[in-house]
Amino acid sequence: REELVESGGDSVQAGGSLRLSCKTNRFTFNYNNMGWFRQAPGKEREALAVIDSAGISKYADSVRGRFTISKDNAENTLYLQMNNLIPDDSAMYHCAADVHLTLWSMAPGGSMAFRGKGTLVTVSS
């Protein structure tokens, strides 16, 4: 059973920064693409960023330039560095893993093999 465990969510003021972490096992980390998506109450799921096993990353337009996805191979951990946070960034943030994971996979209607339970980010104005 695959397990993805997110951490790092917090309450911050607009303009602040947070770094989210997603810890998993070595097999999941090494053999899957991994990514982040978020979902706010009453809103659809929104794909944010994805990184493949070669370290190539892609971003949604809404976060490109503010968020950075990265991996620590030694720690089997996925990160999401979030800068210049705005109130609209408030949501539950989840990490996902799938051999074929793309931004489309994490968008509404897409599918992911594995996802974590999430970590809550709240940004106040």
Side-chain angles (χ1 to χ4, degrees):
R1 179 170 176 270
E2 307 296 337
E3 183 178 67
L4 305 173
V5 180
E6 303 94 337
S7 62
D10 204 345
S11 297
V12 297
Q13 289 192 324
S17 298
L18 283 174
R19 188 178 77 159
L20 306 183
S21 301
C22 173
K23 180 77 172 177
T24 187
N25 60 69
R26 183 175 298 276
F27 182 85
T28 300
F29 191 81
N30 288 339
Y31 293 101
N32 287 278
N33 294 348
M34 298 189 71
W36 291 94
F37 67 95
R38 67 188 178 191
Q39 188 158 21
K43 294 186 178 181
E44 288 190 314
R45 190 171 74 204
E46 181 185 11
L48 302 175
V50 64
I51 188 166
D52 66 17
S53 56
I56 298 172
S57 56
K58 295 184 179 180
Y59 297 90
D61 290 343
S62 60
V63 302
R64 186 178 296 113
R66 297 191 300 126
F67 291 10
T68 303
I69 190 170
S70 63
K71 299 167 64 176
D72 185 329
N73 294 330
E75 297 294 329
N76 300 326
T77 301
L78 178 74
Y79 297 104
L80 185 68
Q81 177 67 44
M82 307 188 296
N83 298 326
N84 298 319
L85 286 162
I86 61 176
D88 280 351
D89 291 323
S90 298
M92 186 71 79
Y93 283 68
H94 301 263
C95 66
D98 190 294
V99 172
H100 303 294
L101 193 74
T102 64
L103 290 175
W104 287 108
S105 302
M106 296 182 287
S111 64
M112 300 162 272
F114 312 106
R115 57 179 286 178
K117 293 181 179 179
T119 186
L120 183 63
V121 172
T122 303
V123 184
S124 58
S125 57

